[in-house]
């Protein structure tokens, strides 16, 4: 694999993890604009753990994911009291707080950044991305996923049917943060250097954008969105100075006819019915 | 204790802002008795259901189910204690299939983490799914099981709401205008279906404007006007009651 292809593949794999970090809160109806902050938490916690205590890199990454998860559960208590754009604002503010914390923490290098000694290669990241995808796809097929859709669509009815709405909302938020932290940890261990500037609001917004572009109704949507966002700018590399403008136009052109994202649940169930019909026909003829 | 009411409201009052919507309302529902709550538009019928299911807290008074005071029990836990309901305006989960909506109805009985993390949407053999399919079959809805609820006819959606409410395992089913918007054939099917449900031991309370339906289906009627009870008794008794006739004057439904 050439260095160029490998570089893009790593970014793609990490973007898929970040996509699911944003997908879970969105599945419960929350726009998390502080996701970059949780990515940073994961990156710094894992880097510090493996640099200072010699903890094996994979354990440090998974552990950092759990730290981000736990922090999000605590933060969820005040943050999830707000709704809609206020929730987006609260998460945005929290993300800013974390970024300035990274900037000012001298033990992890402050503004100068922090080198990460141990290394995780593209193969390891691929396995981790597959794990994140499989966990998400599995949870989506359980009652947990079913109840999450109910909470997203109608909180009052979910509550009457015995679903603990607050708990589900907090778990969705924390699960997303956990994935964010895990992805951030892998990023640091692959690129061997982390710096506070990476964890800005722009990063949060671009993840949210590609998840919205892919669609939040199904678990495949974020995957498609991440792939599209990572690969299209590369395809457009030929027209160097115009490529981001063309990219932006492409997004707008897609969002006009498909405001729910590229992949919707209606589409998937139509596809499923189509496949089932095909199989029935084969059985009849075969 | 056969005569202990299964549902009992004791001097319940509710106001929204300055508006007294329910005033000192008391009535009992006996176990197994098919009961109707009727009254003109805005009388407060849906509000009574909302108070029983805990959507709003009462301002004063007491609500009990099976002898347990549920007045201060959070809404989330009331279905476990015995009251389930449908809604006047259909409130199904639009992004789920018919079967999945009905599975959500089982939530009050799902307690173990294993059940919550079982891939129920991927397999079809679990007892939860068999039970849900059985209820759909009995309601004549099996053919729609995999369809998205949003695209189905109104009458079918109303049936799904009843199926979902039934699966919570509650003893009391509060149905808010189950016959509204149904054609005569659908209304008759509904009546047959509700009789089946009642015969299997569930106590049904309906809010309904269709007096023919109430007369045919219900054994006991509570009449509400401006948040107060103005009459109660059998459908025949209530129909002759001068207060009821007065409340409905101008609209000759009573
Ligand atoms: N959440 C609320 N906030 C303010 N007012 C309310 C609320 N819910 C109901 N009301 C008011 O309470 C009164 C009774 O409403 P309710 O919906 O209980 O009537 P209803 O008997 O069910 O009428 P209908 O037959 O039209 O369904 C109405 O005046 C209504 O405007
Ligand atoms: Mg009403």
């Amino acid at each position: 694999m050439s260095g160029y292809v490998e570089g893009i593949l790593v970014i793609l794999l990490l973007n898929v993890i970040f996509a699911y970090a944003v997908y879970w809160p969105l599945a419960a109806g929350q726009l998390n604009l502080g996701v970059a902050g949780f990515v940073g938490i994961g990156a710094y916690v894992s880097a510090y753990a493996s640099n200072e205590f010699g903890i094996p890199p994979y354990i440090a990454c998974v552990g950092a994911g759990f730290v981000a998860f736990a922090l999000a559960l605590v933060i969820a208590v005040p943050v999830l009291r707000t709704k809609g754009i206020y929730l987006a604002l609260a998460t945005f503010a929290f993300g800013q707080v974390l970024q300035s914390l990274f900037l000012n923490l001298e033990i992890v290098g402050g503004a100068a950044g922090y080198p990460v000694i141990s290394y995780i290669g593209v193969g390891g990241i691929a396995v981790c991305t597959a794990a994140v995808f499989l966990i998400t796809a599995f949870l989506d097929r359980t009652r947990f996923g079913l109840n999450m859709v109910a909470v997203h669509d109608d909180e009052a009815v979910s509550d009457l049917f015995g679903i603990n709405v607050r708990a589900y909302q907090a778990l969705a938020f924390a699960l997303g943060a956990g994935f964010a932290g895990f992805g951030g940890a892998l990023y640091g261990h692959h690129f061997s250097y982390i710096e506070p500037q990476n964890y800005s609001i722009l990063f949060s917004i671009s993840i949210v954008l590609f998840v919205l572009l892919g669609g939040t109704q199904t678990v495949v949507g974020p995957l498609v969105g991440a792939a599209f966002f990572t690969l299209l700018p590369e395809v457009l590399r030929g027209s160097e100075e115009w490529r981001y403008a063309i990219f932006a136009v492409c997004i707008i052109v897609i969002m006009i006819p498909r405001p729910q994202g590229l992949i919707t649940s209606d589409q998937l169930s139509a596809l499923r019915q189509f496949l089932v019909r095909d199989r029935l026909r084969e059985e009849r003829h075969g | 204790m056969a005569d202990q009411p299964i549902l009992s409201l004791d001097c319940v009052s509710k106001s929204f802002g300055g508006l007294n919507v329910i005033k000192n309302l008391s009535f009992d529902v006996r176990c197994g008795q098919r009961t109707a709550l009727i009254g003109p538009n805005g009388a407060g019928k849906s509000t009574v259901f909302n108070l029983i299911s805990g959507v709003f807290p009462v301002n004063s008074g007491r609500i009990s189910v099976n002898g347990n005071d549920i007045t201060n029990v959070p809404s989330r836990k009331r279905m476990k204690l015995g009251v389930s309901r449908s809604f006047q305006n259909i409130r199904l989960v639009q992004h789920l299939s018919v079967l999945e909506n009905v599975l959500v109805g089982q939530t009050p009985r799902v307690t173990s983490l294993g059940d919550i993390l079982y891939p129920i949407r991927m397999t079809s053999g679990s007892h939860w799914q068999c039970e849900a399919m059985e209820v759909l079959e009995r309601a004549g809805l099996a053919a729609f099981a995999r369809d998205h609820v949003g695209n189905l006819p109104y009458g079918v959606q109303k049936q799904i709401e009843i199926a979902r409410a039934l699966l919570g395992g509650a003893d009391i089913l509060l149905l808010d205008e189950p016959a509204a918007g149904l054609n005569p054939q659908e209304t008759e099917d509904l009546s047959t279906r509700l009789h089946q449900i009642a015969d299997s031991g569930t106590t049904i309370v309906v809010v309904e404007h269709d007096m023919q339906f109430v007369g045919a289906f219900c054994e006991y009627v509570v009449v509400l006007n401006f948040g107060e009870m103005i009459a109660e008794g059998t459908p025949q008794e209530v129909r002759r009651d001068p207060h009821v006739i007065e409340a409905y004057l101008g609209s000759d439904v009573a």
Side-chain angles (χ1 to χ4, degrees):
Chain A
M1 202 169 1
S2 79
Y4 170 72
V5 172
E6 186 180 312
I8 292 184
L9 186 59
V10 167
I11 296 293
L12 172 62
L13 291 169
L14 290 172
N15 277 345
V16 170
I17 296 182
F18 297 142
Y20 289 108
V22 163
Y23 165 81
W24 275 107
L26 275 176
Q30 308 153 4
L31 186 56
N32 180 358
L33 289 182
V35 65
F38 290 110
V39 173
I41 290 282
Y44 278 100
V45 167
S46 66
Y48 194 76
S50 63
N51 284 357
E52 301 294 324
F53 305 112
I55 293 177
Y58 288 103
I59 295 176
C61 289
V62 172
F66 277 104
V67 170
F69 177 87
L71 176 70
L73 269 189
V74 174
I75 289 302
V77 177
V79 162
L80 293 182
R81 283 177 185 278
T82 58
K83 295 250 170 283
I85 49 172
Y86 299 100
L87 174 66
L89 270 179
T91 55
F92 162 70
F94 182 66
Q96 295 302 100
V97 169
L98 286 179
Q99 196 188 6
S100 45
L101 182 76
F102 305 145
L103 267 169
N104 292 297
L105 261 188
E106 289 306 326
I107 49 164
V108 286
Y114 190 56
V116 187
I117 298 160
S118 49
Y119 177 76
I120 292 179
V122 62
I125 292 180
V127 171
C128 293
T129 303
V132 167
F133 175 76
L134 289 176
I135 290 171
T136 299
F138 180 81
L139 284 178
D140 175 69
R141 296 285 98 193
T142 62
R143 271 190 193 275
F144 178 80
L146 202 63
N147 291 349
M148 199 62 84
V149 180
V151 167
H152 174 273
D153 279 15
D154 197 328
E155 286 182 28
V157 167
S158 302
D159 172 77
L160 289 178
F161 278 93
I163 299 173
N164 188 338
V165 174
R166 287 279 159 274
Y168 271 81
Q169 288 171 334
L171 277 173
F173 186 71
L175 196 56
F179 286 159
F182 184 49
L186 292 171
Y187 176 98
H189 279 84
H190 182 80
F191 291 102
S192 307
Y193 201 75
I194 52 182
E195 47 188 343
Q197 292 85 308
N198 294 348
Y199 310 109
S200 69
I201 178 68
L202 276 178
F203 180 45
S204 295
I205 287 176
S206 71
I207 304 171
V208 167
L209 271 184
F210 63 67
V211 174
L212 291 179
L213 179 84
T216 57
Q217 292 175 359
T218 70
V219 290
V220 234
L223 189 71
V224 172
F228 195 86
F229 240 73
T230 316
L231 302 179
L232 191 61
E234 299 306 323
V235 175
L236 296 173
R237 222 169 238 289
S239 50
E240 202 51 51
E241 62 269 46
W242 287 102
R243 83 177 154 129
Y244 283 104
I246 297 171
F247 179 53
V249 170
C250 285
I251 291 170
I252 294 168
V253 167
I254 288 167
M255 290 311 264
I256 291 168
R258 299 205 65 80
Q260 304 299 322
L262 284 168
I263 310 290
T264 59
S265 52
D266 279 348
Q267 220 174 0
L268 279 196
S269 56
L271 180 70
R272 206 169 296 138
Q273 261 166 16
F274 176 76
L275 292 177
V276 169
R277 211 180 309 130
D278 249 23
R279 202 168 59 220
L280 287 180
R281 201 180 301 137
E282 270 169 32
E283 275 166 16
R284 224 171 288 136
H285 291 295
Chain B
M1 295 291 274
D3 250 13
Q4 191 194 22
I6 192 166
L7 170 68
S8 164
L9 273 72
D10 190 15
C11 298
V12 169
S13 297
K14 178 67 186 175
S15 59
F16 292 109
L19 191 67
N20 295 322
V21 173
I22 301 297
K23 299 163 199 155
N24 226 7
L25 179 67
S26 304
F27 68 86
D28 287 346
V29 173
R30 314 230 146 258
C31 188
Q33 193 166 48
R34 301 186 298 276
T35 305
L37 185 60
I38 67 168
N41 288 109
K45 306 176 297 290
S46 296
T47 304
V48 169
F49 276 11
N50 284 334
L51 294 174
I52 298 170
S53 55
V55 175
F56 308 121
V58 300
N59 290 116
S60 63
R62 226 177 76 107
I63 300 172
S64 41
V65 168
N66 278 323
N68 302 316
D69 185 346
I70 61 160
T71 319
N72 297 314
V73 172
S75 47
R76 173 161 62 88
K77 297 187 172 150
R78 292 195 188 192
M79 213 174 272
K80 265 184 216 151
L81 294 175
V83 267
S84 186
R85 66 171 296 180
S86 72
F87 300 85
Q88 185 171 349
N89 308 310
I90 291 172
R91 299 278 289 268
L92 292 169
V93 182
Q94 294 299 314
H95 288 112
L96 294 180
S97 72
V98 173
L99 180 64
E100 288 170 336
N101 263 281
V102 176
L103 291 174
V104 169
Q106 295 166 331
T107 312
R109 293 184 290 126
V110 177
T111 45
S112 80
L113 191 63
D115 275 335
I116 292 171
L117 294 181
Y118 178 81
I120 194 161
R121 299 170 81 184
M122 217 150 65
T123 54
S124 54
S126 72
H127 73 279
W128 295 108
Q129 281 201 329
C130 294
E131 181 199 62
M133 277 309 294
E134 228 175 271
V135 169
L136 286 179
E137 257 156 44
R138 243 177 277 135
L141 298 172
F144 302 112
R146 305 274 159 199
D147 294 351
H148 263 255
V149 288
N151 313 326
L152 295 172
Y154 186 79
V156 175
Q157 296 201 29
K158 292 218 105 167
Q159 291 260 30
I160 302 168
E161 274 224 341
I162 296 174
R164 176 177 71 175
L166 202 56
L167 276 164
D171 311 314
I172 308 167
L173 212 51
L174 308 173
L175 304 178
D176 200 342
E177 307 203 5
L182 301 191
N183 64 36
Q185 181 57 45
E186 287 173 324
T187 308
E188 207 173 305
D189 294 346
L190 175 73
S191 185
T192 315
R193 176 77 186 118
L194 293 187
H195 268 291
Q196 274 176 14
I197 295 171
D199 290 346
S200 66
T202 305
T203 304
I204 297 180
V205 184
V206 292
V207 162
E208 199 36 83
H209 285 291
D210 182 340
M211 286 308 137
Q212 217 174 340
F213 176 86
V214 170
F217 179 71
C218 296
E219 301 160 286
Y220 201 76
V221 180
V222 174
V223 190
L224 221 56
N225 195 23
F226 295 112
E228 286 175 304
M229 186 170 75
I230 56 169
E232 63 179 327
T234 65
Q236 293 77 18
E237 286 167 0
V238 160
R239 206 169 286 150
R240 283 195 303 269
D241 191 296
H243 295 105
V244 177
I245 296 169
E246 196 189 312
Y248 277 100
L249 207 67
S251 62
D252 50 9
V253 266

